[in-house]
Amino acid sequence: QVQLVESGGGLVQAGGSLKLSCAASGRIFSIYAMAWFRQAPGKEREFVSTISWSGGSTNYADSVKGRFTISKDSAKNTVYLQMNNLKPEDTAVYSCAASGLAGISRYWYEYAYWGQGTQVTVSS
């Protein structure tokens, strides 16, 4: 099993920044990739970004490209999502996920492990 714990959410004004963290523990060796997804009220879960456990590959949703940056600290087994120039439409619960499947993926169903989620609210 892999345990994921997110932190860093909160309330911020449009144009502001937040940095989310996702600490992984347990069977770390089984992780190939980690990702961030988000879900706003009444909407489907949406892919945000993903990174390979080696850190060599990343991918972003078009809606966040150029504003969000995903990174990884191997020593801390932690993945980060730096979010800049936040917009009201970024408001959602952000969840961290881990996959043992080879290759990074945009599809939530390919991620077996999930954190509890952290709320991000962007006011206009």
Side-chain angles (χ1 to χ4, degrees):
Q1 290 289 343
V2 173
Q3 293 78 42
L4 303 173
V5 178
E6 302 105 329
S7 60
L11 173 65
V12 65
Q13 289 188 331
S17 298
L18 281 175
K19 187 174 185 178
L20 306 183
S21 300
C22 175
S25 61
R27 297 170 61 91
I28 302 295
F29 60 87
S30 67
I31 298 175
Y32 188 90
M34 293 185 68
W36 290 95
F37 291 83
R38 66 187 183 186
Q39 188 166 20
K43 294 189 177 181
E44 293 186 353
R45 185 180 298 169
E46 177 187 20
F47 166 76
V48 177
S49 183
T50 183
I51 186 168
S52 60
W53 193 242
S54 68
S57 299
T58 60
N59 198 273
Y60 296 91
D62 288 345
S63 58
V64 307
K65 201 172 293 183
R67 300 188 297 123
F68 291 11
T69 302
I70 193 169
S71 62
K72 178 179 173 292
D73 185 330
S74 298
K76 297 182 178 180
N77 292 326
T78 299
V79 171
Y80 303 98
L81 186 68
Q82 176 66 48
M83 305 185 294
N84 298 328
N85 190 22
L86 282 160
K87 305 176 180 180
E89 52 264 42
D90 293 319
T91 295
V93 174
Y94 284 69
S95 297
C96 173
S99 170
L101 300 176
I104 55 175
S105 172
R106 292 171 164 247
Y107 303 106
W108 63 265
Y109 50 81
E110 294 190 351
Y111 290 83
Y113 306 102
W114 291 82
Q116 80 285 357
T118 184
Q119 177 70 46
V120 171
T121 302
V122 184
S123 63
S124 57

